[in-house]
Amino acid sequence: MDLITILLGGLASGMVLFIVSVGLSVTMGLMGFVNLAHGGFAMLGGYVIALSMQHWGLPFGWALLLGFIAIAALSVVLERLFYSRLYRAGELDQVLFTIGLVFVMTASVTLGIGPTSQSVVLPDWLKGQTDLGFIQYRTYSLALIAAGSLLVLALWLGFERTRFGARIRAAVDNRRMASSLGVDVGRLFTVTFAIGSGLAAVGGGLGAEILGLDPNYPLRYLVYFLIVVSVGGLGRVTGVFFAALLIGVLDFVLKIYFPKGGTIFIYALTLMLLLARPQGLFGKKGS
Amino acid sequence: MTEASSPALETRGLCKNFGALEVAREVNFRLERGARHALIGPNGAGKTTFINLLTGVLLPSRGNILLDGEDVTSLAQATRVKRGIARTFQINQLFRGLTVQENVCIAVAERLGVGGSMLRPAGKRADVIEEASRLIEMLKLGGDAGRRIIELPYGRQRLVEIAIALGLSPRALLLDEPAAGIPSAESHILLDAIATLPKDIAVLIIEHDMDLVFRFAERITVLVSGAIFAEGTPSEIAANREVRSVYLGTALDG
Amino acid sequence: MASFTAAEQLARRHRFQWWETLPWIAALAAFFAFPNYLAFGTQVLITILFALSVDLVLGYAGIVTLGHAAFFGAGAYTVGMLASHFGWTEPLSGLLAAALVAGAVGLVSGLVLLRTTGLTLLMLTLCTMTLLEQAANMGAAWTGGFDGIPGLSFGKILGLFSFDVLYFRSQYLYVLTVLLICFLIARTLIYSSFGQSLTGVRENLLRMHAVGAPVRARLVIAYAISAALAGVAGGLFTQATGFVNLAVLGLERAAGVLIVLILGGYGRLYGAFVGAVAYMVLEHFLAKAYPTAWQLGIGIVLVVVALYARNGILGLAETLRGKRRQRSAS
Ligand SMILES: Nc1ncnc2c1ncn2[C@@H]1O[C@H](COP(=O)(O)OP(=O)(O)O)[C@@H](O)[C@H]1O
Ligand SMILES: [Mg+2]
């Protein structure tokens, strides 16, 4: 395989990582909440998308929207009922609670739908190859790259250019200061949590091709999502974007050239990076 | 102990910025040995930050801190404590799940250098336990010694803060609004405790209650916006028109 | 109790209470009562030791780690590789080696990792463990890679008692003895001034610095000791099962031990015992028959524990006892 092909493949999986992880980054940055169940929202969303297409014949785009809305709604309920009670608790309680939630999600899906993996059937226009002039490449991977790039642009604009975004940035940088300036951080968190979980759901559906989709999804990719978030820096949209691409490409390359355990480099690099810069590549010091 | 005349604590040209905010500006300050010194100033003046700088919780942007004439600017917190700086916190920082007795014992054990000892049970350190009990009695906390911090009213907790600081047998004791949150009926416990301290301990107290300040202090420093605004004996400060208008006036108003 | 002053209470806190013999009596009773379950019992004892090691850092020093299986695995692989590559099958010295290797890994990683706190620390412990797991996967020549090292056998304990494979009797007693020794070590530490200062770090880091404690050194030492104990647990695991594979290093084991400890109640010394027995007995009977329902149940229990019963089974028992006493007093 030549370089371009590998790069594109890596970018496509990096985009999926980004779409799933970005919400986690923002919510962790806002509340410092260790949410190990984030991958669970991606998995549930993937199921909503896959099943609504299979059983109701929903078109791909509508299925994505449905996945987003359903999981955003579910996450708001969970946030108001449970997460909000643990903001002041230590990491341990947050870890326990969210691991428990992952178990519940995994087991419920296994019980209700079955342990086998699901696939998202792509519409015709996303199948096959596209001629880029210099190379023929899978249309879907290219579409993923385009979608991820659009999303990061939209999020970046949202963060930099809207009042809502400015409030989130302020709260990530200094929660106390922001709330003393009249920002309702709790409310902000609920909304970002919903959007972030909804995006994870979309990512779960979009990425089913690459990451698969089965009840063990949340635990299998838990470490990956966490790595992306901590490498990128908590609460940094563009940071997560670059970190996700970096790790997506690195993972892709290593799996091709060192199929046996090549991913060890990712863990080693993450370890060294976090020791040198605990705030991640793009995070602000001390936040 | 390099020079007999060097003050217990001294700062030279001390500066600290939080981003664009200057919370300490060229602070030249002397806490003499055995002093009873008050640091006053409006909220946000940088008093707590000043204590954090002295104790090493924060590193200054510029300037030096001297303890007994020796530069301690870059020393770790623990080392400064070993050299005799102890503090209390404006907002209680206690071992909330532990009893009062245990709270004070932890401090005393550290001072006696046995905090890292692994084999002997803490309960067999009679010297640690007795010294802690003595301090607890001194602050009239005897009845609460076996209770956990979270079971105590806030005012009683404030006294534990002081017992812990005294357990470190400091030569310079920095008290950050020790009376805040103590019912006024009990604030004499605090004053009595400070009054019975050996005369060679230097005490710096941050306090808003002017009665308390004028009763306690032999010297007063007024800090405004991170800079020393005025300094002198209580009568000089009381007579200072600018201080009255800048600080005492606002304190009386609000 | 109430008739003692606080100082007297502190002075006698470390003394053994009569009820502290109960776990050991129960373990011996189980030995005679369930001769067909001794292999399972051995696994419970090993889990107790592992959970105890986690309690030292989590329950006492307040270090939240997701990677303690790294040390369990280090000990397990040490014993396994010594036996398979060097023919070093003497059990006790094997355990010692496991403790030393795991302790060294704990010391080095602790020195590096414990500069951080919170989420970063959590990530770093997770990464360290995954790194070791991947290394074990890659170093197939030494570790057997994905398949691990099967079919290990070990020499006689003290040259006297062989690991009898049929009834596992000497194995059970051997593991029980090692657990007792490790427990006494942990108990001594916890009631020492060192243990008290760890509690101080857990309760209030800021204050601990302000009383002049060398906080990081204390944490690193505690971490290394805990790692060594976890290594012993791992070494026992290899000796008892006769194999070692990647599962000893995984997230599942790290999360599992956390769950065991939390279920029993952390920071309580005996939480590890209660948690391991409760969790493993239930698992033994439920998980095989209804694996998914078991996972669902554990998930719900975790959620409930995190939200309502932070101190686990022992914590609930204490609360109930406290309430009863209040009622009888009034
Ligand atoms: N860690 C910090 N980061 C940013 N600003 C801070 C920090 N600590 C204190 N400040 C700011 O520094 C100023 C001085 O605070 P402080 O020293 O607590 O004042 P005082 O004790 O005199 O009331 C305040 O405006 C406060 O908001
Ligand atoms: Mg203050």
Side-chain angles (χ1 to χ4, degrees):
Chain A
M1 271 199 264
D2 59 299
L3 197 66
I4 292 279
T5 325
I6 292 172
L7 203 64
L8 286 175
L11 282 181
S13 57
M15 291 298 176
V16 172
L17 279 182
F18 166 66
I19 299 172
V20 175
S21 318
V22 64
L24 183 62
S25 166
V26 177
T27 48
M28 273 194 178
L30 263 181
M31 282 297 189
F33 196 105
V34 186
N35 184 11
L36 302 185
H38 188 75
F41 291 120
M43 187 255 303
L44 293 180
Y47 269 84
V48 170
I49 291 163
L51 295 182
S52 67
M53 289 172 72
Q54 280 169 29
H55 294 292
W56 303 337
L58 221 57
F60 189 52
W62 288 107
L64 290 180
L65 186 66
L66 178 69
F68 181 94
I69 293 173
I71 300 307
L74 172 72
S75 72
V76 168
V77 174
L78 289 178
E79 196 269 342
R80 283 292 91 202
L81 282 182
F82 302 123
Y83 279 80
S84 57
R85 306 173 56 137
L86 290 174
Y87 290 153
R88 282 155 195 275
E91 285 122 28
L92 181 63
D93 288 316
Q94 300 174 348
V95 163
L96 285 179
F97 168 72
T98 53
I99 285 189
L101 205 57
V102 169
F103 284 3
V104 170
M105 288 172 172
T106 297
S108 313
V109 170
T110 314
L111 282 178
I113 298 160
T116 53
S117 68
Q118 302 286 325
S119 57
V120 172
V121 184
L122 297 176
D124 286 336
W125 58 275
L126 282 174
K127 286 179 182 158
Q129 307 264 322
T130 297
D131 194 348
L132 286 179
F134 56 98
I135 193 176
Q136 289 262 339
Y137 205 74
R138 290 185 62 226
T139 309
Y140 187 59
S141 295
L142 295 174
L144 278 181
I145 296 176
S149 310
L150 282 178
L151 178 66
V152 74
L153 193 69
L155 288 178
W156 183 79
L157 284 175
F159 263 68
E160 299 294 325
R161 296 292 150 83
T162 65
R163 263 171 61 93
F164 185 71
R167 279 194 221 143
I168 294 179
R169 275 184 295 137
V172 167
D173 283 344
N174 192 335
R175 188 159 85 217
R176 226 180 39 194
M177 187 111 81
S179 44
S180 72
L181 291 175
V183 175
D184 182 348
V185 180
R187 177 87 151 278
L188 208 60
F189 186 72
T190 310
V191 175
T192 38
F193 193 73
I195 297 176
S197 307
L199 283 177
V202 171
L206 286 178
E209 278 264 306
I210 292 171
L211 301 181
L213 185 57
D214 62 83
N216 277 321
Y217 179 101
L219 279 179
R220 189 163 56 240
Y221 293 111
L222 171 70
V223 181
Y224 257 61
F225 298 146
L226 285 173
I227 285 181
V228 167
V229 168
S230 31
V231 167
L234 294 184
R236 306 282 147 193
V237 170
T238 40
V240 178
F241 181 69
F242 291 120
L245 294 192
L246 199 69
I247 284 162
V249 171
L250 212 56
D251 186 52
F252 205 79
V253 171
L254 288 171
K255 279 201 175 123
I256 287 172
Y257 289 106
F258 306 93
K260 266 196 89 179
T263 42
I264 193 171
F265 292 109
I266 293 188
Y267 301 107
L269 283 176
T270 307
L271 201 69
M272 287 190 283
L273 173 81
L274 287 185
L275 285 172
R277 282 180 67 88
Q279 72 275 27
L281 271 182
F282 304 90
K284 271 200 188 150
K285 211 175 169 139
S287 71
Chain B
M1 311 257 170
T2 45
E3 303 161 49
S5 64
S6 58
L9 259 177
E10 183 180 3
T11 69
R12 294 187 186 154
L14 203 65
C15 294
K16 177 69 187 175
N17 305 335
F18 289 121
L21 184 69
E22 291 179 76
V23 277
R25 312 181 195 199
E26 294 291 334
V27 178
N28 296 308
F29 175 83
R30 287 167 71 97
L31 180 68
E32 302 296 340
R33 294 177 186 208
R36 296 292 180 268
H37 200 134
L39 181 64
I40 63 173
N43 269 326
K47 304 181 296 293
T48 298
T49 305
F50 185 61
I51 287 200
N52 285 337
L53 290 169
L54 291 178
T55 51
V57 174
L58 295 172
L59 287 181
S61 313
R62 238 171 329 115
N64 296 82
I65 300 161
L66 291 85
L67 177 64
D68 285 328
E70 275 180 58
D71 196 311
V72 297
T73 316
S74 54
L75 291 187
Q77 256 189 90
T79 323
R80 296 188 204 194
V81 175
K82 292 270 176 294
R83 296 228 191 150
I85 306 184
R87 68 160 315 168
T88 67
F89 290 86
Q90 181 174 353
I91 295 165
N92 288 341
Q93 297 293 342
L94 298 168
F95 308 117
R96 293 169 51 79
L98 307 185
T99 63
V100 172
Q101 182 83 35
E102 286 167 325
N103 268 265
V104 184
C105 277
I106 287 179
V108 175
E110 290 302 334
R111 181 193 25 109
L112 295 178
V114 301
S117 124
M118 296 186 181
L119 295 181
R120 199 151 142 216
K124 286 198 176 166
R125 302 267 173 199
D127 49 346
V128 174
I129 297 178
E130 276 163 24
E131 159 117 28
S133 300
R134 188 181 63 76
L135 290 165
I136 288 169
E137 283 306 323
M138 179 173 148
L139 287 152
K140 309 277 186 291
L141 283 165
D144 290 330
R147 294 173 71 193
R148 294 190 303 160
I149 299 297
I150 43 175
E151 299 166 11
L152 297 185
Y154 192 83
R156 310 287 289 165
Q157 295 183 18
R158 292 302 287 157
L159 296 174
V160 182
E161 275 276 323
I162 301 193
I164 287 180
L166 293 180
L168 301 171
S169 7
R171 280 183 294 153
L173 177 62
L174 316 176
L175 304 167
D176 195 350
E177 305 199 19
I182 298 189
S184 48
E186 288 181 23
S187 66
H188 71 272
I189 300 178
L190 169 78
L191 278 182
D192 291 349
I194 297 172
T196 56
L197 288 179
K199 278 294 160 217
D200 57 339
I201 297 183
V203 182
L204 177 68
I205 189 170
I206 296 176
E207 187 48 64
H208 283 303
D209 180 342
M210 282 308 130
D211 285 343
L212 219 151
V213 166
F214 283 107
R215 242 187 309 158
F216 163 83
E218 294 154 357
R219 199 160 180 83
I220 297 177
T221 299
V222 186
L223 198 70
V224 177
S225 305
I228 292 183
F229 183 81
E231 185 169 326
T233 62
S235 48
E236 283 166 2
I237 294 296
N240 185 322
R241 276 167 188 274
E242 283 174 319
V243 171
R244 288 191 74 88
S245 65
V246 166
Y247 181 60
L248 296 180
T250 54
L252 291 177
D253 294 343
Chain C
M1 288 280 277
S3 57
F4 294 115
T5 69
E8 284 165 345
Q9 253 178 47
L10 186 59
R12 51 180 62 226
R13 189 178 55 175
H14 58 275
R15 295 190 193 168
F16 281 97
Q17 314 257 326
W18 66 268
W19 54 262
E20 292 189 85
T21 54
L22 290 181
W24 311 99
I25 293 173
L28 283 177
F31 176 77
F32 292 109
F34 306 110
N36 297 326
Y37 285 96
L38 290 184
F40 170 69
T42 303
Q43 289 304 311
V44 174
L45 296 177
I46 291 172
T47 306
I48 291 175
L49 179 54
F50 187 25
L52 190 65
S53 78
V54 177
D55 202 15
L56 205 57
V57 289
L58 177 78
Y60 288 89
I63 303 170
V64 182
T65 162
L66 267 179
H68 229 57
F71 310 120
F72 186 89
Y77 271 101
T78 302
V79 167
M81 292 196 303
L82 282 178
S84 69
H85 294 284
F86 302 99
W88 184 345
T89 57
E90 201 286 307
L92 285 177
S93 59
L95 282 190
L96 203 63
L100 286 178
V101 170
V105 176
L107 183 68
V108 173
S109 63
L111 272 174
V112 181
L113 303 193
L114 291 171
R115 282 184 301 174
T116 64
T117 54
L119 185 59
T120 314
L121 179 58
L122 205 69
M123 280 301 305
L124 287 172
T125 58
L126 196 55
C127 274
T128 313
M129 180 179 70
T130 317
L131 200 66
L132 280 185
E133 187 187 5
Q134 298 282 335
N137 190 14
M138 282 175 79
W142 282 93
T143 62
F146 189 76
D147 302 322
I149 313 173
L152 295 167
S153 58
F154 292 89
K156 293 183 173 183
I157 301 155
L158 297 174
L160 292 176
F161 312 100
S162 57
F163 279 90
D164 52 272
V165 278
L166 273 182
Y167 297 106
F168 305 100
R169 294 164 49 142
S170 54
Q171 219 182 79
Y172 182 90
L173 293 178
Y174 164 65
V175 173
L176 184 61
T177 312
V178 175
L179 172 64
L180 176 63
I181 294 168
C182 292
F183 171 78
L184 290 176
I185 294 174
R187 193 182 182 284
T188 307
L189 276 181
I190 280 163
Y191 286 118
S192 71
S193 300
F194 175 78
Q196 196 164 41
S197 79
L198 290 184
T199 327
V201 176
R202 177 193 72 200
E203 292 288 322
N204 195 329
L205 188 63
L206 197 60
R207 169 52 83 185
M208 212 54 201
H209 280 293
V211 298
V215 170
R216 212 176 113 213
R218 296 271 163 79
L219 288 179
V220 171
I221 292 169
Y223 198 66
I225 293 175
S226 156
L229 291 180
V232 172
L236 286 173
F237 176 83
T238 304
Q239 291 175 347
T241 56
F243 71 85
V244 55
N245 64 20
L246 286 181
V248 296
L249 276 167
L251 176 60
E252 215 163 305
R253 186 170 298 274
V257 72
L258 213 55
I259 294 171
V260 162
L261 181 61
I262 301 306
L263 206 61
Y266 60 102
R268 286 179 157 69
L269 208 49
Y270 288 98
F273 291 73
V274 175
V277 173
Y279 182 88
M280 290 184 74
V281 169
L282 283 177
E283 183 188 40
H284 192 75
F285 292 107
L286 294 179
K288 294 223 178 70
Y290 318 99
T292 313
W294 164 250
Q295 191 183 34
L296 184 65
I298 284 293
I300 292 173
V301 166
L302 281 182
V303 167
V304 170
V305 165
L307 289 171
Y308 305 104
R310 295 189 182 169
N311 297 320
I313 298 173
L314 284 186
L316 281 180
E318 281 163 24
T319 317
L320 288 180
R321 220 180 48 187
K323 282 212 176 110
R324 257 227 321 267
R325 195 181 298 153
Q326 259 178 10
R327 211 176 308 145
S328 62
S330 66

